[in-house]
Each structure stands twice: as structure tokens, then as C-alpha cells.
Amino acid sequence: MSKAAITGIHGYVPDYILTNAELERMVDTNDEWITSRTGIKERHILKGEGMGSSHMGAKAVAGLLEKLAIKPEEVDLLICATTTPDYLFPCTANLICDMVGIRNVGSFDIQAACSGFLYALTVGSQFIESGKYKKVIVVGADKMSAITDYTDRTTCVLFGDGAGAVMLEPNTDGFGILDTIIKSDGTGQNHLFQKAGGSRYPPTHETVEKRWHYVYQDGPSVFKFAVKNMADVSAEIMERNHLSGSDVAWLVPHQANKRIIDATAHRMGIQSDKVMLNIHKYGNTTAATIPLCLFDYESQLNKGDNLVLAAFGGGFTWGAAYVKWAY
């Protein structure tokens, strides 16, 4: 049976770097507090009028196509995972396709917060496995600075902007996305969300004044739920694929908080030197964290490596994937 293999990866982050030192001048915080609680040292921020998630996603996709020597007209489908779409419509995937010259193919967005890339990877792999398509691009792109309240010291230290894209192609040699698990629990909706901007609370002077268009997070509740469920789903995918910690070459975790990552690795029996980590450079880029990890560590990956991808996001959503690296 044909599986969907990742045959290429490319990432993009904006040039501007927001350091902990700069945040110290904006809100009542300090480098030691941020680093000890999150592991974050700096994050990249997209600057410029009219610049959105699509611009970063297009950079990642264009780099991917060039790297693989694949023409835009060869692409069959593009899926974009994003929590910060340029517009409510058209979808950000449409905009990315237009920017890179991909025409007359299906393209759509998936919104599952920080688990979005895993959800999109799961969906994209089905199109490959069914034989429907041969080349599917999955993009994770988020401009979190657009919905971050830089007067709220509990959230403004967490988020950054970035994008990553992977190419999925058929593989019949045992490599690729071998298993995925995606889950959700809507009872977590009020612990991590953006209250206004949708159909429930459309934009008004009141919603703007109340700062409802920014990320709200109940930190302790989110941390407790994330630690348990990201670790649980990672252990579950290992158990059902008969993997031990020694079988896993790399854990590729969502980069939200180093303490959550450490707890997940401990539960899986994986040493810290087998955990992909770049939260210190980028912060939480939401749907872009996992592809950016793969991009940063690409030179250290070997054909046949067993990878476990794991994520947790607002809503709540969470999931894991078992990937056997194909190149």
C-alpha cells in the first residue's frame, strides 16, 4: 500500500527579531522569568503594512519547490494550517497558491490552533494514500504577532511568526506517514481562544475596547491539560506501533513551552538529545512550529529514522504522528 512520504521541507521566518530584552522595555517582565518558565529567548516578527500569514507561507512553498526542482503546475493540492488567516475569506491557501503560481488545483485552510499542522498532515496524507494525488503540499503559517496583546505580559512573551512547508508524495517502500492520531475536547474552548472577530462577536467598538481580538490564555489550565494530553497521545502512538524510546530517532514536539516538551519526552522514555528544540529562537509559531523544527534539523535526519510528531492547541486539540523519514 502506498504511503504519503515527506520528500522535502522548507521554512521561513521574518528578519525582525524581538528579544526578551526588548520585551523588558514593553511590559513588566525579565529575561530570567521568560526563559525559566518557557525556554524562549527571542521570536521573529513579520513587519510591513498589509503583510500576512500568506506572505510567509508563500516564501516557504517557493523555497520548497525550488529545492525539489518541482514546477508549480506539477502540484495537485495545497493545504494551509493557520490560526491567523489573512482574511476570513478567501482562504490563505488560495493566496499562497496565487503568490507562487499554482493554478487550477484544490486549496483550503485547516484551523486546529497549534495542532493545525498535524491535522493538515493527516488530511493531506489521505489524498496520497487513496491514489487521488501525487504531489500535495502542506503548509503551516502563522502571524501570531497580529493577535498578540503586547500589554499582556502573560501572553506577549510566548508567540512569534513563521511558516514551514512539506511536500507529500507516494512511497511504497515502507517510508512516510505510517500512523496519525488527532483528538479534540471543546470543553477547553474558554481556556485559550480569541473571543471576537468571528460570527459570535463580530468586530465592534466595544470588542476592540475590551481587547477581545487578542489571544486570551488561562495559563495554568492550559499547561495542565497540555502536559497530560500531549504526553498521552505520544505514548499512545508509540504503543500501537510497538515502538520503545530507543526505537525513536527524534521527537518533534510543538514548541509552546519547554516544560511541556520535557514532560512529553520523559513520558516517552526519550533522552533530551533526541528532542527537536528551537523554541528559544522562534517562540510559539503555532501551526509553523513542527515544520520549522523539521527544517532546522533536516541535515541531522537519516533515511529510515523513526519520528514522532506531537502537538497540543487551543480548543482543545491535540495529536501525534508516526513518520518514517524517507530521505
Side-chain angles (χ1 to χ4, degrees):
M1 180 180 175
S2 182
K3 289 291 185 179
I6 295 173
T7 57
I9 173 78
H10 200 77
Y12 172 81
V13 291
D15 293 333
Y16 184 86
I17 297 175
L18 176 61
T19 64
N20 288 350
E22 186 173 349
L23 282 169
E24 287 179 9
R25 299 191 292 270
M26 297 166 62
V27 291
D28 181 18
T29 191
N30 60 72
D31 176 70
E32 192 280 329
W33 188 91
I34 298 169
T35 304
S36 64
R37 284 164 177 77
T38 69
I40 302 169
K41 284 288 187 182
E42 55 191 34
R43 62 292 287 152
H44 291 246
I45 304 297
L46 182 64
K47 298 281 189 176
E49 184 178 353
M51 301 293 285
S53 297
S54 67
H55 295 86
M56 296 184 292
K59 289 278 191 181
V61 172
L64 178 67
L65 293 174
E66 181 179 0
K67 188 175 181 178
L68 296 177
I70 291 175
K71 298 176 182 178
E73 54 266 29
E74 295 179 65
V75 177
D76 299 309
L77 177 71
L78 186 143
I79 305 171
C80 179
T82 184
T83 303
T84 54
D86 290 38
Y87 312 114
L88 287 177
F89 65 91
C91 68
T92 301
N94 289 175
L95 305 178
I96 293 172
C97 284
D98 180 58
M99 291 176 186
V100 300
I102 297 174
R103 303 276 184 260
N104 301 315
V105 304
S107 65
F108 57 89
D109 291 354
I110 284 182
Q111 208 290 71
C114 296
S115 306
F117 182 78
L118 274 182
Y119 270 61
L121 203 64
T122 300
V123 173
S125 67
Q126 309 305 306
F127 285 96
I128 297 290
E129 290 182 9
S130 70
K132 179 82 172 177
Y133 295 131
K134 299 297 184 185
K135 288 180 171 59
V136 174
I137 294 177
V138 176
V139 189
D142 269 303
K143 183 186 177 183
M144 291 303 294
S145 62
I147 59 170
T148 297
D149 183 352
Y150 287 98
T151 67
D152 178 4
R153 70 176 191 150
T154 64
T155 58
C156 72
V157 303
L158 302 175
F159 299 104
D161 303 337
V166 299
M167 179 69 73
L168 300 182
E169 297 184 84
N171 185 285
T172 56
D173 297 323
F175 302 104
I177 301 163
L178 303 186
D179 193 13
T180 64
I181 301 170
I182 53 174
K183 298 189 177 188
S184 68
D185 183 350
T187 61
Q189 60 186 286
N190 292 326
H191 296 301
L192 178 53
F193 72 126
Q194 180 186 339
K195 189 169 185 176
S199 59
R200 188 177 294 195
Y201 295 103
T204 64
H205 288 294
E206 182 182 14
T207 63
V208 172
E209 289 169 2
K210 290 183 175 180
R211 309 185 81 78
W212 285 359
H213 295 267
Y214 295 118
V215 174
Y216 167 79
Q217 176 172 275
D218 173 7
S221 296
V222 172
F223 181 85
K224 181 178 179 181
F225 204 96
V227 165
K228 180 182 186 305
N229 287 281
M230 200 162 114
D232 282 354
V233 76
S234 300
E236 181 182 349
I237 205 158
M238 287 175 66
E239 288 167 9
R240 77 186 205 179
N241 288 282
H242 311 293
L243 297 171
S244 65
S246 61
D247 296 321
V248 178
W250 293 98
L251 167 64
V252 192
H254 170 55
Q255 308 283 304
N257 183 299
K258 190 174 183 297
R259 291 183 295 166
I260 297 173
I261 294 170
D262 290 343
T264 301
H266 178 74
R267 172 72 183 279
M268 296 169 66
I270 291 177
Q271 300 299 314
S272 60
D273 61 352
K274 296 167 68 175
V275 179
M276 292 190 186
L277 195 69
N278 60 13
I279 190 173
H280 56 291
K281 296 193 298 182
Y282 305 135
N284 183 352
T285 56
T286 306
T289 64
I290 288 177
L292 280 175
C293 270
L294 292 172
F295 179 60
D296 278 0
Y297 282 80
E298 184 182 24
S299 64
Q300 299 182 54
L301 294 173
N302 297 302
K303 187 173 182 177
D305 278 353
N306 290 320
L307 277 56
V308 173
L309 285 52
F312 173 87
F316 292 123
T317 63
W318 65 100
Y322 168 34
V323 176
K324 189 173 285 290
W325 199 249
Y327 64 96

